[in-house]
């Protein structure tokens, strides 16, 4: 009976091959464990081999299926990757950013500029931003805009890598960037493309390009400003197009409160502006972007499809996050400001009298190099003013760091309420000019 049962077990395990025969006659536990591990490894190897054989036959079908699913779930990434792959053959690109963040979109410009250098092609990027003031590479933000008002209204400040003057962006403004090789750089041709696009949908519009490469409406109102960056092998030309921008905010934030500021930084040239929707209410941003894209596609033999691109996607655009962080940094936005000096005379009210205070500062790379604060009476102790001026040297010309210093000085005179109030009024005036 025992022999019969053993034979049955053997017949059941006949497919297990040699290891089972050895184990059935082995009484050593270690030997059993060793052969068991080997058996499991043999089974795993057979499974891996079967999977490999299956994948070698099924991979083309699997890849096609994944592409279909990926394209449906992530159309922006899928179409952009396909476009970037095709553009290496020299074909032009027609792109639109999915972001409305000024830093991300300027970073996208930088990334595409670097990418263009590798394949020598050309592209048009359409993008819009939330409220932001964008200064030129060699400009002074304290001279170009009202930083205090911008902070209060939540308007961003950014310094771009191209030259030119200061502009205001919001969702009612369209930005266009033309990427080409250095040899293919043509500002006038790009502006003619915009004029053709506008006249193609609204023939009655009176739009012309100036010698400064701006666009004027009715020969009087500026609707587009322009700037560029020319690299070793590639270049880009970008410009704005006012569609339905907030002109009230535009005029207020682009008005600097500083009168006694001296600098050699590039100044902006003021101009009267007008929105295209004020001339024709049917001209929305979507209508204008579609017309511009169609004109670009017609001139470059494209089918007119706009490729969506997300500048937040570091997997799609390797290294773009580094560009974004640099553009956000204080060192780039303020620290790149050319050296300047500021002389400010202001009045502080005390009872029925007004006390005059004179502030002189020299700022280099955004940091205070020299400072003097003069009070023309005994209203505040001169030693306290001298100490504050001395402590400001070496610090950033910004209200945040000045507030920290002011708070430290306020603690010194916390016992004397009158002195505390006077000192607080002075510090608020100093911070207000930053």
């Amino acid at each position: 009976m025992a022999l019969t049962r053993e034979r049955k077990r053997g017949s059941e395990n006949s497919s297990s091959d040699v290891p089972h025969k050895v184990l059935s006659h082995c009484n050593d536990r270690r030997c059993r464990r060793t052969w068991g591990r080997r058996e499991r490894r043999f089974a795993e190897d057979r499974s891996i081999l079967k999977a490999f054989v299956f994948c070698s036959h099924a991979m083309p079908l699997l890849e096609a299926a994944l592409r279909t699913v990926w394209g449906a779930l992530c159309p922006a990434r899928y179409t952009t990757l396909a476009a970037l792959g095709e553009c290496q053959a020299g074909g032009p690109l027609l792109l639109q950013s999915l972001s409305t963040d000024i830093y991300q979109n300027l970073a996208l410009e930088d990334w595409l500029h670097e990418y263009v250098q590798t394949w020598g092609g050309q592209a048009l990027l359409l993008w819009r931003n939330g409220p932001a003031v964008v200064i030129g590479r060699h400009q002074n933000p304290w001279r170009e805009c009202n930083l205090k008002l911008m902070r209060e209204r939540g308007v961003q400040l950014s310094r771009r890598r191209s030259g030119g003057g200061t502009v205001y962006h919001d969702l009612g403004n369209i930005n266009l960037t033309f990427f080409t090789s250095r040899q293919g750089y043509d500002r006038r041709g790009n502006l003619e493309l915009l004029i053709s696009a506008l006249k193609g949908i609204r023939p009655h519009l009176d739009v012309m390009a100036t010698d400064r490469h701006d666009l004027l409406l009715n020969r009087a109102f500026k609707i587009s400003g322009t700037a560029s960056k020319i690299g070793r092998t590639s270049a880009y030309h970008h410009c704005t197009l006012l569609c339905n921008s907030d002109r009230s905010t535009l005029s207020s934030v682009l008005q600097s409160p500083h009168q006694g500021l001296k600098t050699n930084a590039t100044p902006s040239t003021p101009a009267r502006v007008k929105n295209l929707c004020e001339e024709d209410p049917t001209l929305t941003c979507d209508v204008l972007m579609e017309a511009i894209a169609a004109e670009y596609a017609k001139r470059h033999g494209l089918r007119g499809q706009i490729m969506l691109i997300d500048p937040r996607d570091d997997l799609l655009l390797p290294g773009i996050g580094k560009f974004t962080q640099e553009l956000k940094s204080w060192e780039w936005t303020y620290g790149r400001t050319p050296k300047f000096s500021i002389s400010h005379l202001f009045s502080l009210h005390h009872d029925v009298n007004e006390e005059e205070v004179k502030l002189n500062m020299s700022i280099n790379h955004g940091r205070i190099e020299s400072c003097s604060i003069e009070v023309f009476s005994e209203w505040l102790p001169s030693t306290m003013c001298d100490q504050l001026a001395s402590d400001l040297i070496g610090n950033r010309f910004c209200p945040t760091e000045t507030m920290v210093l002011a708070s430290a000085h306020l603690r010194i005179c916390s016992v004397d309420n009158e002195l505390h109030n006077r000192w607080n009024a002075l510090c608020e005036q100093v911070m207000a000019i930053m």
Side-chain angles (χ1 to χ4, degrees):
M1 182 69 70
L3 180 62
T4 304
R5 285 198 294 268
E6 186 68 20
R7 282 178 179 174
K8 285 183 178 180
R9 283 196 294 269
S11 62
E12 290 172 0
N13 298 326
S14 60
S15 62
S16 301
D17 217 0
V18 178
H20 279 287
K21 293 180 180 179
V22 176
L23 286 173
S24 64
H25 295 87
C26 185
N27 295 322
D28 188 272
R29 289 184 178 180
R30 251 179 288 175
C31 186
R32 286 193 183 97
R33 286 198 297 269
T34 301
W35 281 108
R37 285 195 297 267
R38 288 182 181 178
E39 184 185 34
R40 286 193 296 272
R41 288 174 186 168
F42 292 154
E44 289 173 359
D45 291 343
R46 285 195 296 270
S47 299
I48 292 171
L49 180 61
K50 289 178 182 178
F52 178 78
V53 172
F54 170 77
C55 288
S56 63
H57 293 289
M59 186 59 71
L61 296 175
L62 182 62
E63 184 178 357
L66 287 174
R67 285 181 179 274
T68 302
V69 174
W70 190 26
L73 295 177
C74 308
R77 173 181 284 189
Y78 179 76
T79 54
T80 304
L81 281 175
L84 292 176
E86 293 171 0
C87 74
Q88 292 185 358
L93 286 175
L94 187 52
L95 304 171
Q96 181 176 341
S97 174
L98 291 170
S99 175
T100 57
D101 181 88
I102 179 60
Y103 306 108
Q104 293 172 359
N105 283 326
L106 289 178
L108 179 58
E109 275 193 327
D110 292 340
W111 193 95
L112 288 171
H113 177 62
E114 293 294 325
Y115 192 78
V116 164
Q117 294 190 71
T118 63
W119 54 272
Q122 51 188 326
L124 169 61
L125 173 66
L126 303 170
W127 46 292
R128 292 191 293 163
N129 295 316
V133 170
V134 186
I135 61 175
R137 184 185 184 99
H138 308 292
Q139 289 198 295
N140 183 317
W142 291 277
R143 180 182 187 177
E144 298 299 330
C145 49
N146 191 326
L147 294 173
K148 184 174 182 292
L149 182 62
M150 288 168 58
R151 288 190 290 266
E152 293 172 354
R153 298 190 179 184
V155 179
Q156 301 280 3
L157 174 70
S158 181
R159 182 187 297 274
R160 62 179 183 269
R161 298 192 188 277
S162 62
T166 299
V167 290
Y168 172 74
H169 290 183
D170 61 16
L171 293 176
N173 171 73
I174 301 170
N175 300 289
L176 310 100
T177 309
F178 297 87
F179 298 92
T180 62
S181 64
R182 185 185 177 101
Q183 293 75 17
Y185 172 75
D186 183 8
R187 274 197 196 189
R188 177 65 64 171
N190 296 334
L191 294 179
E192 289 175 356
L193 183 152
L194 295 182
I195 294 173
S196 296
L198 291 172
K199 288 186 173 294
I201 55 173
R202 300 294 185 271
H204 64 278
L205 289 177
D206 180 10
V207 181
M208 62 170 288
T210 69
D211 294 337
R212 294 175 53 85
H213 298 111
D214 297 328
L215 289 183
L216 295 184
L217 179 65
N218 300 331
R219 302 179 183 273
F221 302 100
K222 184 175 178 179
I223 58 171
S224 175
T226 187
S228 62
K229 179 182 178 182
I230 302 177
R232 184 174 55 85
T233 60
S234 61
Y236 66 75
H237 163 222
H238 50 192
C239 54
T240 57
L241 189 62
L242 289 174
C243 174
N244 188 23
S245 192
D246 184 346
R247 289 206 292 129
S248 174
T249 301
L250 183 153
S251 60
S252 58
V253 298
L254 296 186
Q255 185 67 40
S256 173
H258 298 300
Q259 302 297 325
L261 192 149
K262 295 181 180 179
T263 178
N264 291 324
T266 304
S268 296
T269 303
R272 291 191 298 167
V273 298
K274 189 174 185 179
N275 284 308
L276 283 166
C277 74
E278 296 176 58
E279 190 75 7
D280 186 335
T282 64
L283 289 176
T284 64
C285 286
D286 289 337
V287 169
L288 290 171
M289 286 194 292
E290 288 178 7
I292 295 166
E295 184 66 24
Y296 185 86
K298 182 176 73 174
R299 296 194 178 201
H300 293 86
L302 300 175
R303 290 175 295 178
Q305 183 180 5
I306 299 177
M307 305 296 178
L308 303 178
I309 190 166
D310 189 349
R312 295 163 294 189
D313 194 338
D314 203 70
L315 294 176
L316 171 64
L317 310 169
I320 193 170
K322 183 179 179 181
F323 286 121
T324 305
Q325 291 306 312
E326 182 182 358
L327 289 166
K328 279 184 174 182
S329 69
W330 186 94
E331 287 74 15
W332 171 257
T333 307
Y334 298 97
R336 287 296 185 116
T337 304
K339 186 174 182 177
F340 67 101
S341 63
I342 188 167
S343 181
H344 192 70
L345 184 66
F346 50 89
S347 298
L348 295 175
H349 296 279
H350 172 56
D351 295 334
V352 294
N353 301 319
E354 286 189 355
E355 301 295 338
E356 287 192 341
V357 178
K358 186 176 183 181
L359 174 67
N360 290 298
M361 282 187 180
S362 176
I363 299 99
N364 192 20
H365 298 302
R367 292 186 178 273
I368 301 169
E369 278 192 337
S370 64
C371 177
S372 67
I373 302 174
E374 298 180 53
V375 180
F376 301 104
S377 70
E378 293 301 320
W379 185 68
L380 274 175
S382 59
T383 53
M384 292 184 65
C385 296
D386 294 342
Q387 186 61 49
L388 176 61
S390 176
D391 291 344
L392 284 170
I393 295 174
N395 285 301
R396 293 175 177 178
F397 186 65
C398 72
T400 305
E401 290 197 3
T402 303
M403 183 182 296
V404 174
L405 284 175
S407 298
H409 284 270
L410 283 170
R411 286 194 293 269
I412 297 174
C413 56
S414 58
V415 178
D416 189 333
N417 288 334
E418 183 64 26
L419 182 60
H420 183 279
N421 293 335
R422 294 178 185 180
W423 186 253
N424 186 59
L426 172 64
C427 292
E428 286 182 352
Q429 286 291 330
V430 173
M431 288 186 289
I433 68 172
M434 296 179 174

